[in-house]
Amino acid sequence: MSAKSVRSIVSTDTFACVRCGLTVTAVGPAGARRNHCPSCLYSQHVIDRVEGGPSECGSRMAPIAIAVLRDGGWMVIHRCTRCGELTSNPICSDDNQLILMRMAVRPLAQPPFPLEAFGDL
């Protein structure tokens, strides 16, 4: 099988978003595997990170935060809405930039302590 044939088979692999229903191509624009919806950033709990195999949970994985790697890459942090398991997945270039930025600035906009405390320093 030629590389072109393999590429066309991989690019037709799709899944339906568990939250918004969008049909999503499982391969991102850069050719990496995608496991979340580029529109709402939700995923499905299909891999058990603790056990290392498939998960029987199958619930929605809600995007809750952004982590920045040492090399500057961004990861979406997901939490399962049923069992609470956390996962991280690299963002794709076509992910919803507004949702990504909202998650990135949330710790600054809503700190876990009163901002008035800075007035006494």
Side-chain angles (χ1 to χ4, degrees):
M1 191 179 291
S2 72
K4 186 174 182 179
S5 300
V6 172
R7 191 173 304 124
S8 66
I9 292 169
V10 173
S11 67
T12 60
D13 186 17
T14 61
F15 61 90
C17 175
V18 294
R19 181 172 181 258
C20 70
L22 182 72
T23 300
V24 179
T25 303
V27 177
R33 295 285 298 169
R34 174 203 308 274
N35 71 343
H36 60 271
C37 175
S39 179
C40 68
L41 303 183
Y42 271 72
S43 184
Q44 186 170 14
H45 194 178
V46 294
I47 296 175
D48 188 332
R49 302 282 183 202
V50 176
E51 299 292 325
S55 174
E56 295 179 8
C57 182
S59 278
R60 291 180 184 179
M61 299 288 283
I64 61 165
I66 296 295
V68 181
L69 304 175
R70 286 187 176 125
D71 67 3
W74 283 25
M75 302 287 280
V76 177
I77 308 300
H78 288 100
R79 177 185 294 136
C80 180
T81 58
R82 179 185 292 163
C83 70
E85 184 171 322
L86 296 172
T87 62
S88 63
N89 301 289
I91 66 162
C92 294
S93 62
D94 63 342
D95 284 346
N96 186 319
Q97 295 174 356
L98 181 59
I99 295 174
L100 290 170
M101 290 305 293
R102 283 181 181 165
M103 285 191 298
V105 301
R106 186 180 302 141
L108 297 173
Q110 300 170 343
F113 49 83
L115 291 175
E116 293 80 28
F118 284 115
D120 297 336
L121 296 177

